[in-house]
């Protein structure tokens, strides 16, 4: 098997170690063998990015627009191939893999337009004859650290704005998904970026990630991953000299409220999609269903009926609705939470068991817990798998306070036909994103993404708001003499 390499300083190069990339739908299928970069490779990538920055940051907006557009179009032209590779490597279904690939293309195309719209302000000074100008400038080299669950969309929504606003990039994908990262990088490189502007460094977080965070040549870090790692990334970024700008997207324990007046069919679809699609491996997953007592029993019956019909199988098989869990350790974590929930006294209403399929893979039946108390671990801790809990509440007020009773605050949903409750929930949910009669997962690409409390830190990602992180503001004063 040929070794797939990293891209540093305009060249494909191997690293000191190697990693094997396994298909979670069929553990006998090796997706590829990848070079793992070490500290020295990472430092070379940072130095190459620094060397490329002066010219790239002053490149014309037409050039950057054209490059980003070529990347977007390049991804679209290869969407089936990239989507298939993503599904094979990560385990989401082929339709989800292609959908995510198209999303990555849309993000590059969106930011190709944003390149042309970077504006400043010229305003009068409080001092006579003085002009004040406020402009945005790129930061420098940005280290991008991404997770495995959206192997192309999350890198796209960090790489595209970073490049659009004139920064250089060192991209460190998650260890579990090097193939998609590599394929995306190929498309980026084919768009003819100057050497050093974009670097791919596959490797361990503790090596590549920490080297980027500590290196004085990196100006900012954008991270998506777990809360524990995010805290470490933030502490190290602020502890570095000079202190780095940092943006974190972390976990969620997203509530989906179902009120008595909800359209039952809509509520069940929102819950099933939000909790279990993409194998529940989304930080916006609807993992906490909070249901008022008048509809509770009907909702549980309809949910379990719907879950019986879900097709869990090989991600690449036609008809599969839910693929496998990403790897053995995530599967072990999910199964341990099934045990924890039962020990805590929750009722396992459906699923939660291992499944056997034609090929050896990490298959489990989506699980639904009922009779869940607000202080149970299964209701408070992010599981990151196809496991949902149902809390029964007496009315809207209790539903809202339960929804907000969490250390997280990424997305919150409500299913209701009442304008009054929908409006109140939109105003009072302590979350960065609120969904009415829609799953908590599934967002647009041209508007801000991010949360509150323990879910996010720093400026929002995506849409025009991405400029807050990927640029720095300069205020200039001029006295014409
Ligand atoms: P998950 O549990 O979903 O894999 P992690 O937070 O462990 O989430 O990983 C998210 C990303 O952070 C990955 O690219 C991983 O390699 C990286 N990472 C892990 N540890 C560190 C670290 N100490 N410093 C920087 N990045 C890290």
């Amino acid at each position: 098997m040929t070794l797939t390499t990293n891209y540093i300083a305009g060249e494909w190069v191997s690293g000191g170690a190697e990693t094997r990339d396994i298909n979670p739908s069929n553990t006998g299928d090796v997706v590829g063998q990848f070079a793992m970069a070490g500290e020295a490779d990472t430092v070379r990538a940072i130095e190459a990015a620094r060397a490329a920055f002066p010219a790239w940051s002053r490149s014309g907006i037409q050039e950057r627009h054209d490059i980003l557009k070529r990347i977007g179009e390049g991804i679209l032209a290869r969407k089936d191939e990239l989507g298939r590779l993503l599904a094979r490597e990560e385990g989401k279904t082929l339709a989800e893999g292609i959908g995510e690939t198209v999303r990555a293309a849309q993000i590059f195309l969106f930011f190709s337009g944003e390149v042309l719209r970077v504006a400043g302000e010229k305003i009068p000074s409080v001092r006579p004859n003085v002009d004040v100008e406020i402009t945005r400038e790129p930061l420098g080299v940005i280290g991008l650290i991404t997770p495995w669950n959206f192997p192309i969309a999350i890198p796209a929504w960090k790489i595209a704005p970073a490049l659009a606003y004139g920064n250089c990039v060192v991209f460190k994908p998650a260890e579990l998904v090097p193939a998609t990262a590599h394929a995306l990088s190929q498309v980026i490189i084919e768009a003819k970026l100057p050497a050093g502007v974009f670097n791919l460094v596959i490797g361990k977080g503790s090596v590549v990630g920490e080297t980027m965070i500590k290196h004085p040549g990196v100006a900012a870090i954008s991270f998506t991953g777990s809360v524990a790692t995010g805290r470490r990334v933030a502490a190290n970024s602020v502890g570095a000299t000079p202190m780095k700008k940092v943006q974190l997207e972390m976990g969620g324990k997203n509530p989906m409220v179902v009120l008595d007046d909800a359209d039952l069919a809509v509520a069940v679809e929102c819950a099933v999609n939000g909790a279990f699609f993409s194998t529940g491996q989304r930080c916006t997953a609807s993992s906490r269903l909070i249901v008022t007592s008048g509809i509770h029993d009907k909702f549980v019956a309809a949910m379990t009926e719907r879950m019986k019909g879900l097709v869990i199988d090989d991600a690449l098989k036609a008809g599969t609705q839910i693929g496998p869990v990403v790897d053995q350790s995530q599967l072990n974590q999910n199964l341990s939470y099934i045990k924890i929930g039962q020990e805590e006294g929750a009722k396992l209403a459906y699923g939660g068991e291992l499944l056997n399929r034609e090929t050896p893979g990490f298959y489990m039946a989506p699980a639904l817990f009922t009779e869940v108390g607000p202080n149970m671990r299964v209701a408070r801790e992010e599981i990151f798998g196809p496991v949902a809990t149902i809390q029964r509440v007496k009315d809207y007020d209790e539903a809202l306070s339960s929804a907000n009773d969490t250390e997280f605050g990424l997305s919150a949903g409500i299913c209701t036909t009442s304008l009054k409750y929908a409006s109140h929930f939109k105003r009072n949910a302590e979350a960065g994103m609120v969904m009415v009669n829609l799953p908590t997962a599934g967002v647009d690409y041209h508007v801000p993404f991010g949360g509150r409390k323990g879910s996010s830190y720093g400026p929002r990602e995506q849409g025009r708001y991405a400029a807050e992180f990927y640029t720095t503001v300069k205020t200039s004063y001029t006295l014409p003499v």
Side-chain angles (χ1 to χ4, degrees):
M1 183 166 282
T2 54
L3 184 71
T4 310
T5 52
N6 292 304
Y7 190 74
I8 297 174
E11 285 174 2
W12 291 104
V13 290
S14 56
E18 293 176 18
T19 183
R20 223 156 219 257
D21 187 12
I22 303 294
N23 175 352
S25 298
N26 176 5
T27 54
D29 174 28
V30 180
V31 180
Q33 186 84 2
F34 289 84
M36 294 280 273
E39 190 180 332
D41 304 304
T42 312
V43 169
R44 272 201 319 115
I46 295 166
E47 285 170 356
R50 273 187 75 78
F53 179 67
W56 179 247
S57 61
R58 287 186 206 105
S59 58
I61 57 173
Q62 187 65 50
E63 180 188 352
R64 294 213 296 277
H65 164 83
D66 292 346
I67 287 174
L68 286 167
K69 188 155 172 278
R70 277 204 292 277
I71 298 171
E73 287 167 351
I75 295 169
L76 272 187
R78 290 173 62 182
K79 69 178 167 53
D80 293 333
E81 174 203 338
L82 290 172
R84 172 167 280 272
L85 180 66
L86 194 169
R88 180 173 164 218
E89 176 176 60
E90 196 267 355
K92 63 181 63 173
T93 65
L94 186 56
E96 287 171 333
I98 294 172
E100 189 187 324
T101 304
V102 170
R103 171 53 54 99
Q106 290 165 329
I107 291 166
F108 275 99
L109 294 173
F110 173 83
F111 281 104
S112 75
E114 285 302 284
V115 174
L116 306 177
R117 282 189 282 267
V118 177
E121 286 179 83
K122 186 167 183 186
I123 55 177
S125 167
V126 293
R127 287 172 279 175
N129 301 324
V130 171
D131 280 335
V132 186
E133 284 168 357
I134 303 164
T135 49
R136 286 190 179 274
E137 295 184 359
L139 300 171
V141 178
I142 308 199
L144 306 178
I145 302 175
T146 58
W148 50 260
N149 64 327
F150 284 92
I152 195 162
I154 293 179
W157 84 48
K158 295 183 192 296
I159 296 168
L163 296 177
Y165 298 116
N167 302 284
C168 293
V169 165
V170 180
F171 166 40
K172 193 214 93 61
E175 294 91 314
L176 285 175
V177 288
T180 309
H182 186 270
L184 170 66
S185 301
Q186 274 179 324
V187 177
I188 292 172
I189 291 153
E190 280 161 20
K192 302 214 170 18
L193 281 162
V197 171
F198 171 83
N199 301 271
L200 166 70
V201 188
I202 296 166
K204 285 192 174 158
S206 57
V207 178
V208 176
E210 301 233 351
T211 301
M212 293 199 303
I213 293 165
K214 289 187 182 140
H215 197 287
V218 175
I221 298 285
S222 179
F223 165 89
T224 302
S226 63
V227 176
T229 309
R231 273 191 181 281
R232 197 184 163 96
V233 167
N236 288 341
S237 296
V238 174
T241 308
M243 291 161 79
K244 289 181 171 51
K245 193 169 181 182
V246 60
Q247 172 182 61
L248 310 175
E249 289 299 343
M250 300 169 287
K253 191 73 184 175
N254 308 289
M256 159 64 70
V257 169
V258 179
L259 295 186
D260 285 355
D261 69 5
D263 179 313
L264 186 63
V266 167
V268 169
E269 278 319 300
C270 286
V272 166
N273 175 320
F276 305 129
F277 284 10
S278 297
T279 322
Q281 298 173 155
R282 298 187 281 193
C283 46
T284 48
S286 315
S287 48
R288 274 191 311 139
L289 307 170
I290 298 167
V291 184
T292 47
S293 51
I295 197 171
H296 177 276
D297 294 355
K298 271 185 285 182
F299 179 77
V300 171
M303 259 309 264
T304 43
E305 206 42 47
R306 177 76 175 79
M307 288 173 74
K308 283 180 200 157
L310 290 171
V311 181
I312 298 108
D313 209 329
D314 188 316
L316 296 177
K317 225 182 199 178
T320 296
Q321 292 173 314
I322 296 175
V325 172
V326 73
D327 72 350
Q328 186 68 55
S329 96
Q330 186 62 49
L331 181 64
N332 292 346
Q333 178 170 315
N334 298 349
L335 296 175
S336 84
Y337 273 107
I338 301 292
K339 210 156 146 244
I340 290 167
Q342 287 170 309
E343 284 166 4
E344 287 178 309
K347 183 178 159 206
L348 185 59
Y350 188 82
E353 72 276 9
L354 283 175
L355 298 174
N356 284 318
R357 292 294 178 259
E358 255 170 63
T359 49
F362 308 116
Y363 299 104
M364 74 174 278
L368 184 67
F369 277 113
T370 56
E371 313 306 332
V372 174
N375 293 320
M376 291 182 184
R377 286 181 62 192
V378 285
R380 303 204 78 83
E381 298 172 14
E382 184 177 46
I383 299 172
F384 218 64
V387 183
T389 60
I390 298 188
Q391 286 168 250
R392 187 200 302 255
V393 290
K394 65 176 185 306
D395 56 16
Y396 170 75
D397 290 340
E398 192 187 343
L400 175 65
S401 65
S402 295
N404 288 336
D405 178 20
T406 166
E407 67 187 73
F408 296 105
L410 189 55
S411 182
I414 188 166
C415 287
T416 177
T417 50
S418 152
L419 182 60
K420 178 177 126 187
Y421 289 132
S423 305
H424 191 273
F425 190 78
K426 278 194 280 186
R427 277 198 303 274
N428 292 285
E430 294 166 4
M433 298 175 291
V434 180
M435 312 288 181
V436 178
N437 296 320
L438 289 166
T440 55
V443 296
D444 286 2
Y445 61 88
H446 64 309
V447 289
F449 178 95
R452 298 183 186 176
K453 302 202 273 188
S455 290
S456 303
Y457 181 81
R460 287 282 187 272
E461 300 201 82
Q462 301 214 62
R464 280 190 290 118
Y465 286 68
E468 295 304 323
F469 179 73
Y470 290 98
T471 64
T472 184
V473 165
K474 181 177 275 174
T475 314
S476 312
Y477 298 86
T478 308
L479 175 65
V481 287

